[in-house]
Amino acid sequence: LIGMLWYPIRLPAVRVQAQVPPVLNSISVQMNGTGLVDAASWAALLIWALLLAAGVLGLVRSPRWHAFGKVLGLTLAAHIALHLVYGDETFLYAAHFLPLLMAIVLFASRSPLGRAAPVLALLLAALVGFHNFDMHAAAAHLLQHAAPAP
């Protein structure tokens, strides 16, 4: 569930996977934990959870959108069931979850959060944006040095 609900917005730590020569080493984000190592990570997770919960509540409270909510909920449930059966490699498919999760979060403005929802979303974007930029830079650095020396 971490890979489905948390990794779509926050990239886990990148690490090198040593391979047997002559195959090149590779980098991977598979089988990593939540990466909750600092206050910013915890804050981002709490904001994300709050926005998701508020989005569900906002969607439920919007009678005009009930049919959309049912389709969205069933689609998300089907994705979760598929990936729970499939296994541990859900990060490869994390992009499948992001549009569904973002559609839910959009309804947070129709919840008791109201006008605070966009402010929280911007704060979340900043928190995960800086982290994801750092993870991208780390991955690029690891990739540059992944090939074994001749």
Side-chain angles (χ1 to χ4, degrees), residues 12 26 93 115 118 137 139:
S26 62
Y93 306 99
R115 294 180 188 219

Side-chain angles (χ1 to χ4, degrees), residues 81-93:
L82 173 70
H83 291 291
L84 286 176
V85 169
Y86 179 70
D88 297 326
E89 304 195 10
T90 52
F91 182 78
L92 295 174
Y93 306 99

Side-chain angles (χ1 to χ4, degrees), residues 1-146:
L1 286 175
I2 292 168
M4 292 178 259
L5 299 175
W6 183 227
Y7 287 173
I9 64 160
R10 188 180 181 280
L11 186 65
V14 180
R15 58 186 165 79
V16 173
Q17 285 186 303
Q19 303 291 332
V20 177
V23 178
L24 295 177
N25 292 335
S26 62
I27 61 172
S28 175
V29 294
Q30 302 293 58
M31 306 304 288
N32 286 339
T34 60
L36 297 172
V37 295
D38 58 7
S41 299
W42 279 102
L45 178 61
L46 292 174
I47 293 169
W48 180 240
L50 178 64
L51 285 172
L52 279 174
V56 169
L57 182 61
L59 189 55
V60 169
R61 291 177 55 179
S62 302
R64 182 175 166 202
W65 293 93
H66 275 188
F68 175 74
K70 288 176 186 175
V71 170
L72 184 60
L74 287 172
T75 304
L76 188 58
H79 274 282
I80 288 172
L82 173 70
H83 291 291
L84 286 176
V85 169
Y86 179 70
D88 297 326
E89 304 195 10
T90 52
F91 182 78
L92 295 174
Y93 306 99
H96 293 173
F97 295 100
L98 189 57
L100 299 172
L101 297 173
M102 294 304 288
I104 292 171
V105 167
L106 283 173
F107 285 90
S109 63
R110 295 179 178 259
S111 74
L113 282 181
R115 294 180 188 219
V119 174
L120 288 172
L122 284 173
L123 178 59
L124 176 65
L127 288 170
V128 298
F130 288 120
H131 170 80
N132 289 348
F133 181 80
D134 288 345
M135 289 298 104
H136 179 270
H141 177 75
L142 287 173
L143 198 56
Q144 289 172 348
H145 299 91

